Structures are given as structure tokens and as C-alpha cells.
């Protein structure tokens, strides 16, 4: 049984909605994963778990199963490895978690399985329709280029591309064509190749060899509108190729000095912009240089201010070596570039993205905005945290958001503003979720009282996560690397082992406070006891036991000869186990400090151990590729790893399952007792070796950490899909530590902010009154201008009316003359036409007499022919019955063919539905944006033009009435002319009809014979068509059920859309609040600068006066008087006191006011969230009622259509039965009739009418079948649009 596909992880606390699946083809897999705009996409590399022992394996009946909790914290996997699978009792499948709404039309595809024995993914590319994924790998020693189908669930391998005529080298850049039919792959120089594939047919269409100096980053891409154009850039080359006649022909000629092109993107069908390592942006049009500009190295504005305020001494005291290094760092280079509808975005310096928009001047593109990475206030060096190199930029399909990926594997998001007036010159990114680990994770531990886990990494950070809410609760960076971490059972304290000391840290509400430092150098392992009263710390080869209350060293456990890699406490704290790199596993007695039991295997370097719940069995893994079960000082059982090194082990508290992590990043689940064969399930998650594993006390979550910097949370389920039940439900504590000084500061800040709010209210009131005065004056000026315009328009209106009256008089005279002429012509035409009609009437009477005589003669001939025809009909019926039997056999064969074709049609139809849904969503997003922009522009134009339209409407109405009157007269004249022409045409048509009737009388005999034959054939066809219609009804019912299922899915997607809109409104509110804060800080800065300028002016004056006083040095009396004057002029006691008081009160007041405002904002946000939750239920209830009413209306419409179709069929059957009864009444009469010739003529006419009715009915049925056949392959069948055919009446008439 294969698991369902994994979902994207989206943390609940994240404000950024990952609503779009952005894809970009980049050189490395980490960049591609970040370009997918999902912070924690589960890139799994191995195949899905399968049973090696088969379905009949006894392990398949075990009662445990693991599911993915859809949670990953850390870097995206950048390589893929093979995995061995076994028939164990556990399976890893994803579990949906509550998350922000997504605007997607399809469920997330499962991650594709990599190639076996692969050494990593070198390049990836996603097709423009997000349906296919291409990956370049190295399996063994051979390169592999694979295309996966992401639309199927689970994702499957679609094609594997290879060519014997090419050298075996791995592709470093891939790209799909706009229609997803072709794939371009490039290998790195020197001796690089560009290959052009028709990948569906696994055909190499063309290949080009490229020789370039050295190896560098290459990029390949298709033109957005042309499948045949390919761009290939790298160090020293920019080449445009076009595919034609089986070869790739170069379109451009390289001119000038060669550049090192780091990246490029297409701006249009002919324009390509490239970025170089010297900070140049070069725009090419059809391969020729069109525009070039250089981007300067940018520094954050805070750094610029610091540079400006440095003294001369500081400038010249810097060493020359530092200057050289800073010059190298300050060289700009375009590391990433991406295009969007208005222009493009590029990164020229660390931590910045520049937006360029198209202009109409000489400068084709102009810089419009700077977007900086934010500084991390928890970082050890906040300046460096905002100076990360951006390696990838991508936009969402709707261009509402931009996501960037940095070299430290962090993801940032920025919301794009659609209007220019909302833009700011300088803006800042936000974390897509929260800051992630950027290096290998060295420590992981969980807590008993709280649902939190602690991790530490070589990136010098310690983080506290919540594995139930999927959020980062605390985070702090230190100056030293952290090697190990352990959480106290209460969750209020933690131990962190650094390279210099072991620190006992208090976990506060918003910070980590170092409470105690212990002199344990280079501590690699530490652990709190189960009850928390003791903790162990590894100091070299010695394990030191401390009291967590008094911090006294209680005992030292000596005896290990190698480095200690893992320690473990028993549940009751009576036993303590440790292992080292020399193959020793010891069990210690804490009271005496001596070993109780030991097990030594020198050939193995142990890396991890764990204890069973009863502390009788030790599970250990190490370098010898086995899992060992140790008890009573000996190895009782060994499980081989089958070519993989085990790095971590964890045992469930129930004792039924054992989980093992490997060096390839896979996790294996085994049942206990341990199996001898490959009886386990293996799941791929991490891209590096698993370093730490731990399972929660209730056995519901398994936590794993890896060298790739990622953390996975796995949820454990029973075999039936139910959550593992514990004896008692876990109740977690909610207490938090906080410093008393923090409480005092926050309370004082609240008071200061209240005072500040009152002052701001008075200022706002005064500014509003000033604005009212200003706008009232503007209104008066506008009223005066409009009155002048109205008077001028009135004079124009009077002049136009006078001209209108003159034109009306002239028009009336012309109309009267035309009417008189027309009356005269009509009289002449009437007299001529009357004479012609009399002549034609006489001719018609003569021809009528001749036709009657001819009819009598033909009736006699028809009677003789009927007798001969009856004999021939009998012979034909026997002949056609034989043919019917033959065709019935053929019909059965055709039915089987139809079934096969129908299955193929269903598969094609599914693919068409999926493609249509994706196209509809993309078109919908585009047109919604266009509508919103056009509505805004229309509202502005309506306000300006509305007044002028009202004045012009009155004049236009009068002109329209005059034009209508003229048009009516012209129409009347044309009608009379047409009437005269029609009379002449009628006369000619009457002559033609007389000639045609003579011909039809001769041909009627032939028609009667042919019609009778056709009647018999049509009856047979109708029987076949009735059978087909019944089959089509069954198909319609089945498709109606599919349509209902699709409607339910659409309803769920609409609910997700509503959630997304609500979150977007919340984000807009946050943005406005932050903008207000920025404005307030800007005003304060301006005031301070003015004060600074005033003080500088005072200083200049004081210096000038001092210079004057210095001239009286030899005259003491004058010097004394001058100093007194300076004192009286510049020094006042009150000023000094005010300055001292102001300097003391300014800084704390500002801090208090800011904190108070932030508190108020947080409270308002909580109220907003509560109000939204209360109203959500009411909205859902109303939506459900509306849906039920719409369904009832649709059902009633369907019933009406069915009733109407039944009425039509009943009427047709009634007419047929009446006509047949009339024929039967006439046929059996044996009495002599007074006029036999006339009766025969009536019977023939009735037969002709019956045949015509049957032909019409058959044609109607054929049209319905053709319409159904045309509608099925293109559009989904709706039950409400298809009428129900009731053919019972037609069957009854056939039986009669």
C-alpha cells in the first residue's frame, strides 16, 4: 500500500501565505527548491516505501504506522539517494495540518522518487504549466537526465533521456520550452554541450559543442514565445541559438570584450537581459547590444550614516589589509535576476534587490525601488545578518509576491504594490516563515511538561520550536559554536554546550538568559535526568554529574578511553548509559560512580544509543553498519544495515517499534523484536546524515535532525489510521519565565505611550482643521471656474439651435418634392403590373386543365405498378433478413472496439480537465488584476469627465433625433423600391414553377419506388439508433456523478480562497501600521537634525568670538571683559538645567512610548482575529443555504426539460398511430367506391406524409447523437444540459 502524496508545510504563525507554486530552473537543487516558494517542501529522494517481503509477509499485519506531520524546519534537500525498502509495520505518509489558505486548483503532487544509487541532483527545471519536473543526477558513474510527471499521484517517472553519441557528463542547467514539448540541457565548460531534446519521444533533435575557458556557472533558457530560440550564457560567452532543419544555428555574433555572465532572463520574445560579475546589466535584442548600464555597490543606509560620522583619526588608523579586503567585498556583481510584467528585479550587492521599470526615454529601464533584507535582532551580528548573498529571485504567477533565497538557505518574501503611489523608495523583505538553521544541527532534545524541542547548530544559534503549532518560539545566536543541547523536564531551562563553557540558560518569555556558566570545555554531550534534579556533561573522556539546584559536581564517571558520543538516563534515573568511539557501552551506578556492566566491541565506533522503557535492553548503532541489541553485558541480536551506516536510534516508550536514522538521511521503522531480514520500511527525508533522533513521551511524534540543517516531525499512527492512544492524555504547562526588570520597563512604557497618544490626537485635530480651511478655499475657486464655463456653453447652445432650425426647413422642402415624384411612379407601375397578371392568369388555367388529364392517366399506371412491386418487396425482405444476421455479428465486434476507444477517451479527458483547470486559474488571476487596474483608472476618469458629459448629452440628443428623422425617410424610400423589385421577381418565379411542375410529375414514379425502399432501411436504422441511445443514457448518468464530485471540490477551493483574502487584508493592515510608525520616526529625525544645525551655528559664532578674545592675551583687563561678555552671551543657568533634564528624559520616554504603542497594536490584532472567527461560522451557514437552494433550482430545471422532451415524443407517436389507423380503415374495405381514382390518390398522399414524418424523426435522432458525440471530448457533460430521451412511444409504433 503506497502512501498519499505529501503536502507543503506552512506554519500557523506565518503571515506570508504560500499560495502559489513558483518554479524556476536554476543551476543547483537548493536554489530550485527555494524558488518553488515553499519554505519547507518535502523533497524526498528515495522511492516510496514498498514491501520487500511481499503482501503475504507476516510483518504487514503489524499495528503501527508513521505519518509525515508535513513539518520540516531547515534547508531543502539538494541531492537524492537510493533506499532499501522492507515489509515492516510502519509507513510514512503525510498528515494535513491547519495552515493559511492557498489559491491553487489542484492538490499538491507527491515528490518524485530519485534514481537508485544516485549521488545528488545537479540541476532541476519545472515546466511552465507546473506539470513536469526535469532533474539531472549522477547514478553510480553515469549521468542520468529524467523527466517526472507531477500531475499524477504519486509522481511518476515519465521519460529518461540518453544519447550514445554524446560524452557522459552531467547537465548543470535545464530548461523547458513554453509549450513543454522540448527540453534544453547544458553541461559545464570546458568542452560543454548544449542539447535540444524532444523529450516525450526521447529523441535528441540537435546538439552543439561549446569550448570555453575554465568551469563556471552556466544558464540556459527558452524564449517565452518561441520553442526554437535558446539562450546559453556563462563565463566569456553569450549565445543565442535557433533550431531549424535538425541543427542549432547561432543567431548572434559576439562583439567586444567577453564578460562573465552570471545570470540572464527574457524580457520579451526578442529581448534578453544579462548580469555580469562586474555589476553590469546588458540588454540584447535579437543578439545585438541595445542598452547597457552599471549598478553601484550598495550599503544599508545605517552603515552610510556611520561612515559619515567617523572621525579622521578612525579613518586613517585602519590597516591597509583591511582596506584591500573591503575593496574586494565592495565590488558589485549581479548574482540573480528575474523578469516581471513591468520590468525586472536584480541583486547587485549582498542583501539588496533592485526593481527596474520600463521607461519611454533614452534609458530603457529606470531603477524604481530598493528592497533590503531585514536585520535579525536576535543575531550575534545584526549587520551581517542583513548582508546575505541573494542567489535566486522568483515572482508568483500573479506577480503579487516576490521570494528570494540566500546563500545561508533563508527564504524572504516581499509583497509587490500594484500602484505607484503606495510604493516607497526603500522597502524591506520579511521572512517567509521564520529564520532557519543554516548549518549542521548538532543537538536536539524534547521536554516533558511542554510541547517544545530545542536544537543547536554549527551556525552558532540555539532555537526553541513548538512541534504542535509548528512555530519557532525562541531563537538566539552566540559567538561560539553550540555542540549539544538538553531541555529541563519543566521546559523552563536548558543546557547548551559551547566550545569554551557549558551554560545553564533560563528560557524567558522573549529571550534566553544565561543563569550559570560551568567550566566544562568543549562539551559535546549533555543531558538532564528524567526528573530534572541532575544533569550530566561530557568533559573529554569523563562524564561529570551535577546538581541542577546547587550546581555542585556530585560525581565523575571515568573509564572511557575514546570520545563519548551519546549518554542516556533511565526513566527512574537509577541507570545511566554511555558509549564512545572505541566500541565501549557502559552502564553506570550513580551512587558509587563505578561501572555495573559493560560491552566492548573495538571494531565499532558507536554514534548513538537508546534504552527500552524498562531499562533492560540497550540499542546501539555505529560504524559497523548494524543495529545491536545489548543486554546483560553482551550483544544479544544484530540487524544488518544492508550497505548503509546507522547514525541514530530511538525506541518507542511502548517498546513495540524501533526507529533508526542512516548516513543517507533515510529513516527506517522496525518492529520489536528486531527482524533478521530486510523487514522494515524506509523513508527518505533528509539530504544529509541523521544526527539526532527523539520520540515524545506519548509516542505520537518522532523528531529527527540532520547535517543538512533540517528538522523533521513525524506523526505516529496505528495501522488503521488512528492516532496512537496513551494511557493519559498529555496536558502541557503554559507557564513562562519573565524578568522583573522587563515587567517594570513594559509598565512604564505603557504609561509613556498613553501620554504620547493624547499628544498625537491633539496634533491630528489641529492638522485636520488646517486641511479643512485649505480645501474650502479650493472648492470656491472651482465653483467660480465652473460658472464661467456654463455661461460660455449656453451661448454655444443657442447658436446651435438656430442652425438646427434652418436645416429643418430645408429638409422639409426636399422631402415634399421626393414624395410627389414617388407617387407618380407608383401609379405607372401598378397599371403595368395589373395587365401582366391578367395574361398570366389565363395561361395558368389552361395548364391546370392539362395537368388534371395527366393525373388520371398516371393513376392507372400506378395501380398496375403496385402489384408488381408487392412481389418484388417480398423477395427483397428475404434477402435483407440474411444481411441483417451478418451485420449483427459485425455490430458486436464494433461494440468491443467502442469500449476500447471509450477507455482511451476517458484517459485523454482526465488530462484535458487537469490542463484546463490550470489554464483557467492563470487566466483568472491575470484578468482580475487587469480588471482592478482598469476600474481604478475608470473611476478617476469618470470623476473628471462626468460634468462635461452632462452638458454635452443635451446637444447630442437633439442631433440624434434629427438624424433619426432623416434615416426613417430614407428607409421608407428603400422599402418601396424593394417592393417593386419583389413583384418583378415573383412574376419570373411563377413562370419557372410552371415549367418545374411538368418535370416533377414525370419524376414522381421514380421517387415513390425509391422512398419505399428508403422507408424500410430507415426503420432498421431507427432500431439500431434506439439501442445506441439507451447506452448513451447510461454513460450520461455515470458522468453526472463525476460532475457532482467536481462541484464539491470547487466548493472547497472557494473556501480556501476566502481564507486567503482574509489573510491578505490582515497583512495590509499591518503594512499601514508600520508605515505610520516610520513616518513618526522620520519626523523625529528631522527635528533632531534641525537642533543639530542650530548648535553648529552657535559653535561657529562662539569660535569667532573666542578668536577675537584671543587677540587680547597680552592685555589682561580686556581679555577679562571679553570672557565675561562671552559668558553672559552664551551661558545661562536655566538653559544648562533644561539641557541636562532633557538629555536624561528623552531616550527612556521614546522607548516607553514605542513599547506602549506596540502593546496596543498587539491587543487590536487579537481582537480582529477573534471577530473573524466569530463571523466565520455565520458566513459558512449562509453559503451552505445558498448552495442547497441552487441545487434545488437546477433539479427543477432538469425535471422541466425532461417533461418537455417526453411531451414532444408523445405527440409524434400519437400522430403516427392516428395515420396508421386511418390507413388500416381504408385498406380492408370490399365495397365498391364511387370514385376509385380519387381514393387511390388520397392513400398515396397519406403514405408520402407518413414517410416524410419518419424521415424527420430519424433526422432529429441523428442530430442529437452527433451533438452528443461532439460535446463529449471537449467539455464536461452536465446533467442539466442533456434531455432525457423517452423512446417508448416509437418502439410501440414499430411493434404495431
Amino acid at each position: 500500500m503506497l502512501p498519499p502524496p505529501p503536502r507543503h508545510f506552512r506554519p500557523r504563525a506565518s503571515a506570508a501565505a504560500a499560495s502559489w507554486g513558483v518554479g524556476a530552473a536554476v543551476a543547483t537543487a537548493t536554489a530550485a527548491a527555494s524558488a518553488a516558494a515553499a519554505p519547507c517542501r518535502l523533497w524526498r529522494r528515495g522511492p516510496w516505501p514498498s514491501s520487500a517481503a511481499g503482501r503475504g509477509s507476516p510483518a504487514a499485519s503489524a499495528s503501527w504506522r508513521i505519518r509525515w506531520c508535513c513539518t520540516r524546519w531547515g534547508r531543502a534537500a539538494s541531492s537524492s539517494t537510493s533506499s532499501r525498502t522492507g515489509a515492516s509495520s510502519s509507513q510514512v505518509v503525510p498528515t494535513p495540518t491547519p495552515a493559511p489558505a492557498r489559491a491553487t486548483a489542484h492538490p499538491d503532487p507527491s515528490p518524485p522518487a530519485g534514481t537508485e544509487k544516485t549521488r545528488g541532483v545537479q540541476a532541476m527545471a519545472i515546466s511552465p504549466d507546473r506539470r513536469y519536473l526535469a532533474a539531472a543526477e549522477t547514478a553510480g558513474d553515469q549521468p542520468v537526465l529524467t523527466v517526472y510527471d507531477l500531475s499524477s499521484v504519486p509522481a511518476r517517472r515519465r521519460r529518461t533521456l540518453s544519447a550514445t553519441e554524446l560524452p557522459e557528463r552531467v547537465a548543470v542547467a535545464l530548461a523547458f520550452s513554453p509549450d513543454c514539448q522540448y527540453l534544453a540541457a547544458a553541461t559545464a565548460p570546458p568542452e560543454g554541450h548544449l542539447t535540444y531534446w524532444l523529450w516525450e519521444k526521447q529523441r535528441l533533435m540537435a546538439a552543439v559543442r561549446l569550448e570555453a575557458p575554465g568551469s563556471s556557472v552556466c544558464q540556459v533558457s527558452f524564449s517565452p514565445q518561441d520553442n526554437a530560440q535558446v539562450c546559453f550564457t556563462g563565463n566569456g560567452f553569450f549565445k543565442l541559438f535557433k533550431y531549424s532543419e535538425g541543427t542549432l544555428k547561432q543567431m548572434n555574433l559576439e562583439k567586444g570584450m567577453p564578460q562573465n555572465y552570471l545570470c540572464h532572463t527574457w524580457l520579451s520574445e526578442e529581448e534578453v537581459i544579462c548580469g555580469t560579475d562586474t555589476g553590469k546589466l546588458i540588454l540584447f535584442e535579437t543578439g545585438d547590444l541595445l542598452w547597457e548600464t552599471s549598478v553601484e555597490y550598495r550599503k544599508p543606509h545605517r552603515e552610510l550614516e556611520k561612515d559619515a560620522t567617523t572621525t579622521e583619526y578612525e579613518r586613517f588608523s585602519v590597516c591597509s589589509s583591511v582596506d584591500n579586503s573591503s575593496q574586494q567585498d565592495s565590488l558589485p556583481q549581479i548574482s540573480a535576476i528575474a523578469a516581471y510584467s513591468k520590468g525586472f528585479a536584480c541583486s547587485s550587492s549582498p542583501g539588496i534587490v533592485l526593481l527596474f521599470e520600463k521607461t519611454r526615454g533614452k534609458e530603457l529601464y529606470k531603477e524604481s525601488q530598493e528592497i533590503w533584507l531585514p536585520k535579525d535582532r536576535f543575531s550575534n551580528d545584526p549587520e551581517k545578518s542583513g548582508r546575505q548573498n541573494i542567489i535566486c529571485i522568483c515572482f508568483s504567477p500573479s506577480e503579487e509576491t516576490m521570494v528570494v533565497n540566500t546563500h545561508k538557505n533563508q527564504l524572504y518574501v516581499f509583497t509587490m504594490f500594484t500602484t505607484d503611489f503606495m510604493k516607497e523608495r526603500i522597502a524591506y523583505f520579511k521572512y517567509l516563515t521564520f529564520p532557519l538553521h543554516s548549518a549542521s544541527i548538532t543537538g536536539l532534545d524534547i521536554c516533558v511538561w511542554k510541547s517544545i524541542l530545542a536544537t543547536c547548530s554549527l551556525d552558532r544559534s540555539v532555537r526553541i520550536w513548538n512541534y504542535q503549532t509548528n512555530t519557532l518560539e525562541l531563537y538566539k545566536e552566540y559567538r561560539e559554536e553550540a555542540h549539544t543541547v538538553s531541555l529541563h523536564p519543566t521546559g523552563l531551562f536548558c543546557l547548551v554546550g559551547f566550545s569554551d563553557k557549558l551554560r545553564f540558560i533560563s528560557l524567558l518569555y522573549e529571550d534566553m538568559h544565561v543563569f550559570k556558566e560551568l567550566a566544562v570545555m568543549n562539551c559535546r554531550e549533555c543531558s538532564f535526568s528524567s526528573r530534572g534534579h541532575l544533569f550530566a556533561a561530557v568533559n573529554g573522556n569523563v562524564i561529570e554529574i551535577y546538581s541542577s539546584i546547587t550546581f555542585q559536581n556530585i560525581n565523575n564517571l571515568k573509564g572511557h578511553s575514546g570520545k563519548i558520543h551519546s549518554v542516556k538516563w533511565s526513566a527512574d534515573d537509577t541507570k545511566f548509559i554511555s558509549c564512545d568511539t572505541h566500541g565501549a557501552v557502559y552502564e553506570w551506578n550513580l551512587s558509587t560512580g563505578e561501572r555495573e556492566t559493560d560491552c566492548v566491541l573495538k571494531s565499532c565506533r558507536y554514534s548513538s544509543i537508546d534504552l527500552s522503557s524498562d531499562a533492560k535492553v540497550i540499542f546501539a548503532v555505529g560504524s559497523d553498519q548494524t543495529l545491536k541489541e545489548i543486554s546483560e553485558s553482551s550483544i544479544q541480536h544484530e540487524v544488518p544495515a544492508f550497505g548503509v551506516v546507522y547514525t541514530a536510534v530511538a525506541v518507542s516508550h511502548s517498546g513495540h517499534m524501533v526507529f533508526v536514522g542512516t548516513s543517507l538521511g533515510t529513516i527506517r521503522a522496525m518492529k520489536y523484536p528486531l527482524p533478521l531480514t530486510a523487514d522494515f520500511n524506509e523513508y527518505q527525508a533528509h539530504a544529509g546524515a541523521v544526527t539526532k533522533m527523539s520520540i515524545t513521551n506519548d509516542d505520537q511524534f518522532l523528531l529527527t535532525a540532520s547535517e543538512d540543517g533540517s528538522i523533521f516531525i513525524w506523526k505516529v499512527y496505528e495501522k488503521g489510521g488512528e492516532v496512537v492512544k496513551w494511557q493519559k492524555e498529555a496536558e502541557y504547562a503554559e507557564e513562562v519565565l519573565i524578568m522583573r526588570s522587563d515587567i517594570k520597563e513594559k509598565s512604564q512604557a505603557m504609561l509613556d505611550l498613553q501620554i504620547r497618544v493624547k499628544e498625537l490626537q491633539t496634533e491630528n485635530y489641529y492638522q485636520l482643521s488646517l486641511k479643512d480651511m485649505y480645501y474650502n478655499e479650493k472648492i470656491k475657486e472651482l465653483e467660480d471656474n465652473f460658472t464661467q464655463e456654463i455661461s460660455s456653453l449656453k451661448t454655444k447652445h443657442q447658436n446651435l439651435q438656430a442652425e438646427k432650425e434652418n436645416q429643418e426647413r430645408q429638409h422639409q422642402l426636399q422631402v415634399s418634392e421626393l414624395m410627389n415624384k414617388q407617387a407618380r411612379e407608383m401609379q405607372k407601375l401598378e397599371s403595368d403590373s395589373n395587365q401582366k397578371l391578367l395574361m398570366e392568369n389565363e395561361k395558368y388555367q389552361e395548364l391546370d386543365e392539362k395537368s388534371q388529364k395527366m393525373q388520371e392517366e398516371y393513376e392507372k399506371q400506378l395501380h398496375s405498378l403496385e402489384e408488381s412491386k408487392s412481389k418484388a418487396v417480398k423477395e427483397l425482405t428475404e434477402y435483407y433478413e440474411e444481411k441483417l444476421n451478418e451485420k449483427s455479428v459485425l455490430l458486436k465486434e464494433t461494440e468491443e472496439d467502442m469500449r476500447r476507444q471509450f477507455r482511451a477517451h476517458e484517459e485523454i479527458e482526465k488530462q484535458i480537465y487537469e490542463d484546463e483547470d490550470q489554464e483557467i486559474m492563470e487566466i483568472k488571476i491575470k484578468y482580475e488584476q487587469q480588471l482592478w487596474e482598469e476600474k481604478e483608472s475608470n473611476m478617476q476618469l469618470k470623476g473628471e469627465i462626468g460634468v462635461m458629459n452632462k452638458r454635452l448629452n443635451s446637444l447630442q440628443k437633439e442631433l440624434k433625433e434629427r438624424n433619426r428623422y432623416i434615416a426613417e425617410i430614407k428607409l421608407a424610400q428603400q422599402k418601396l423600391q424593394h417592393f417593386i423589385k419583389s413583384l418583378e421577381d415573383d412574376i419570373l418565379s411563377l413562370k419557372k414553377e410552371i415549367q418545374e411542375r411538368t418535370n416533377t410529375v414525370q419524376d414522381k414514379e421514380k421517387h415513390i419506388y425509391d422512398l419505399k425502399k428508403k422507408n424500410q432501411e430507415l426503420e432498421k436504422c431507427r432500431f439500431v439508433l434506439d439501442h445506441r441511445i439507451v447506452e448513451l443514457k447510461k454513460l450520461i448518468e455515470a458522468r453526472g456523478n463525476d460532475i457532482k464530485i467536481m462541484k464539491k471540490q470547487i466548493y472547497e477551493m472557494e473556501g480556501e480562497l476566502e481564507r486567503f483574502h482574509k489573510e491578505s487584508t490582515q497583512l495590509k493592515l499591518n503594512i499601514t501600521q508600520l508605515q505610520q510608525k516610520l513616518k513618526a520616526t522620520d519626523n523625529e529625525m528631522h527635528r533632531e537634525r534641525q537642533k543639530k544645525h542650530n548648535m553648529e551655528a552657535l559653535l561657529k559664532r562662539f569660535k569667532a568670538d573666542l578668536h577675537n578674545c584671543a587677540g587680547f592675551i597680552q592685555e589682561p583687563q580686556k581679555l577679562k571683559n571679553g570672557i565675561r561678555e562671552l559668558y553672559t552671551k552664551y551661558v545661562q543657568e536655566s538653559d544648562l538645567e533644561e539641557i541636562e533634564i532633557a538629555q536624561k528624559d528623552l531616550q527612556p520616554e521614546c522607548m516607553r512610548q514605542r513599547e506602549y504603542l506596540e502593546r496596543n497594536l498587539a491587543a487590536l490584532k487579537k481582537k480582529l482575529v477573534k471577530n473573524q472567527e466569530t463571523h466565520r461560522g455565520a458566513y459558512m451557514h449562509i453559503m451552505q443555504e445558498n448552495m442547497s437552494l441552487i441545487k434545488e433550482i437546477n433539479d427543477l430545471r432538469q425535471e422541466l426539460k425532461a417533461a418537455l422532451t417526453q411531451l414532444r415524443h408523445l405527440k409524434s407517436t400519437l400522430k403516427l398511430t392516428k395515420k396508421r389507423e386511418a390507413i388500416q380503415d381504408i385498406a380492408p374495405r370490399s365495397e365498391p367506391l364511387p370514385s376509385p381514382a380519387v381514393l387511390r390518390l388520397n392513400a398515396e398522399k397519406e403514405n408520402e406524409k407518413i414517410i416524410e414524418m419518419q424521415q424527420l424523426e430519424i433526422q432529429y435522432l441523428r442530430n442529437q447523437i452527433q451533438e452528443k458525440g461532439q460535446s463529449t471530448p471537449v467539455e464536461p457533460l452536465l446533467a442539466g444540459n442533456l434531455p432525457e430521451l423517452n423512446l417508448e412511444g416509437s418502439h410501440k409504433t414499430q411493434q404495431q
Side-chain angles (χ1 to χ4, degrees), residues 549-813:
I549 300 167
T550 61
F551 299 104
Q552 291 181 355
N553 188 356
I554 297 171
N555 207 338
N556 291 329
L557 308 180
K558 299 178 181 179
H560 281 286
S561 59
K563 289 184 179 179
I564 300 169
H565 269 187
S566 181
V567 295
K568 197 75 178 176
W569 295 82
S570 63
D572 55 359
D573 293 338
T574 58
K575 292 183 180 181
F576 186 80
I577 292 95
S578 62
C579 67
D580 63 11
T581 57
H582 289 179
V585 176
Y586 295 154
E587 182 180 340
W588 303 87
N589 187 345
L590 295 177
S591 59
T592 60
E594 295 179 355
R595 293 197 300 266
E596 286 190 351
T597 60
D598 57 1
C599 179
V600 180
L601 182 65
K602 292 184 178 181
S603 62
C604 178
R605 293 169 58 88
Y606 287 112
S607 58
S608 178
I609 56 170
D610 202 357
L611 269 173
S612 62
S613 57
D614 56 1
K616 292 181 180 179
V617 181
I618 302 169
F619 296 91
V621 294
S623 60
D624 61 348
Q625 300 183 0
T626 57
L627 169 63
K628 298 176 180 61
E629 182 182 346
I630 302 169
S631 65
E632 297 177 357
S633 301
S634 62
I635 299 170
Q636 302 293 331
H637 192 47
E638 285 186 354
V639 178
F642 302 99
V644 181
V645 177
Y646 287 144
T647 56
V649 63
V651 184
S652 65
H653 292 83
S654 62
H656 296 301
M657 292 301 297
V658 179
F659 305 103
V660 186
T662 69
S663 59
L664 297 177
T666 59
I667 292 162
R668 293 180 178 179
M670 307 177 187
K671 64 176 182 178
Y672 186 77
L674 298 174
L676 292 171
T677 59
D679 191 5
F680 52 81
N681 274 4
E682 187 166 19
Y683 310 103
Q684 186 71 50
H686 297 285
V690 178
T691 55
K692 297 291 179 181
M693 291 180 70
S694 184
I695 193 164
T696 57
N697 289 328
D698 54 2
D699 286 343
Q700 289 193 358
F701 295 98
L702 174 69
L703 315 172
T704 61
S706 172
E707 289 179 354
D708 63 357
S710 63
I711 305 160
F712 269 76
I713 296 176
W714 311 75
K715 197 162 188 178
V716 182
Y717 279 74
E718 291 182 357
K719 187 181 178 183
E722 298 179 356
V723 180
V724 176
K725 294 181 180 179
W726 198 244
Q727 295 176 356
K728 294 181 181 179
E729 293 185 1
E731 295 180 358
Y732 295 113
E734 296 182 357
E735 290 81 3
V736 176
L737 293 178
I738 189 166
M739 302 285 284
R740 186 171 292 176
S741 59
D742 293 341
I743 295 169
K744 288 180 181 180
E745 287 176 1
K746 288 179 179 179
S747 60
Q748 187 64 37
M750 287 173 67
L751 293 171
D752 295 338
L753 288 169
Q754 285 176 356
I755 296 164
R756 181 64 178 164
V757 167
K758 289 179 181 178
E759 292 175 358
L760 289 170
Q761 285 176 353
T762 55
E763 287 179 4
N764 288 330
Y765 180 73
Y766 176 68
Q767 288 176 359
L768 286 170
S769 61
L770 290 173
K771 285 182 180 178
D772 289 337
M773 296 287 287
Y774 174 70
Y775 286 127
N776 287 327
E777 290 175 358
K778 273 196 171 182
I779 288 163
K780 287 179 181 179
E781 290 177 2
L782 290 170
E783 284 177 353
D784 295 335
N785 293 328
F786 282 127
T787 51
Q788 291 176 2
E789 288 179 2
I790 288 163
S791 62
S792 63
L793 287 170
K794 282 181 180 178
T795 56
K796 286 182 183 179
H797 180 63
Q798 290 173 0
N799 294 329
L800 288 169
Q801 278 185 344
E803 289 178 2
K804 179 188 170 187
E805 289 174 357
N806 293 327
Q807 288 178 0
E808 282 180 352
R809 289 170 189 170
Q810 293 175 2
H811 182 64
Q812 286 176 359
L813 292 170

Side-chain angles (χ1 to χ4, degrees), residues 821-835:
K821 286 181 182 179
Q822 192 175 4
R824 292 169 191 168
E825 290 176 356
M826 282 290 292
Q827 288 176 0
K828 289 179 182 179
L829 289 168
E830 282 179 359
S831 60
D832 294 336
S833 61
N834 288 328
Q835 290 177 1

Side-chain angles (χ1 to χ4, degrees), residues 491-507:
L492 301 175
F493 310 99
C494 73
L495 275 173
V496 182
F498 294 95
S499 56
D500 58 346
K501 290 180 182 178
L502 176 69
R503 290 180 173 87
F504 189 91
I505 298 172
S506 299
L507 303 179

